[in-house]
Amino acid sequence: GEDVCSLKDYVSRMPEKQKHIYYITGESKESVANSAFVETVKKRGLEVIYMVDPIDEYCVQQLKEYDGKQLVSVTKEGLELPEDEEEKKAFEEKKAKFENLCKVMKDTLDKKVEKVSVSNR
């Protein structure tokens, strides 16, 4: 939705498979709404809370969970979204398919990158 919502409302709308509360912090609604991270989560049919007030960043650092659900930033490395077996299988196939490319890229870029990996982000 486009309006202000409480964590209670957000949790009440969560699909059963969703285990976390997803959020993104930023300077404006426009900047976070256009984030590739948000797009990835929304493609899965999940809702993202936009936190654009200066105090929001501080709040989420202090409030780690609500109603037994962990607050997770969609910009976090290694973000794991709920997926069914078919999606897991497809991702593993992509990882295997591009494994050699990742190795070549890492070898080529050497110390310019820490790691090269296939991601679902």
Side-chain angles (χ1 to χ4, degrees):
E2 298 294 314
D3 301 318
V4 174
C5 86
S6 68
L7 290 173
K8 183 179 181 181
D9 290 341
Y10 177 95
V11 170
S12 73
R13 294 191 299 265
M14 286 173 48
E16 199 172 307
K17 68 179 180 177
Q18 184 178 340
K19 303 292 182 234
H20 304 297
I21 296 170
Y22 298 108
Y23 72 89
I24 185 169
T25 57
E27 291 183 16
S28 70
K29 187 175 174 183
E30 293 74 31
S31 67
V32 296
N34 294 323
S35 165
F37 300 115
V38 170
E39 187 178 318
T40 302
V41 177
K42 283 188 166 186
K43 275 184 186 173
R44 300 274 179 114
L46 304 173
E47 206 176 331
V48 178
I49 298 175
Y50 298 168
M51 297 192 166
V52 294
D53 243 303
I55 192 75
D56 289 342
E57 187 102 31
Y58 174 77
C59 288
V60 293
Q61 289 171 3
Q62 303 306 313
L63 179 71
K64 305 263 188 255
E65 68 172 57
Y66 173 81
D67 197 26
K69 311 241 184 267
Q70 186 179 2
L71 275 78
V72 176
S73 171
V74 296
T75 61
K76 181 181 140 208
E77 185 178 348
L79 175 68
E80 291 185 22
L81 297 171
E83 55 187 1
D84 58 30
E85 289 306 313
E86 197 173 292
E87 290 170 321
K88 281 182 189 172
K89 185 179 174 197
F91 179 68
E92 289 304 319
E93 287 172 3
K94 280 183 186 172
K95 265 175 71 172
K97 181 179 177 182
F98 292 105
E99 187 176 343
N100 288 335
L101 176 62
C102 289
K103 185 178 179 345
V104 169
M105 289 175 72
K106 173 61 179 148
D107 292 345
T108 303
L109 295 170
D110 195 27
K111 291 180 172 60
K112 293 179 183 170
V113 296
E114 192 175 306
K115 68 179 180 178
V116 177
S117 63
V118 176
S119 169
N120 59 3
R121 291 173 77 174

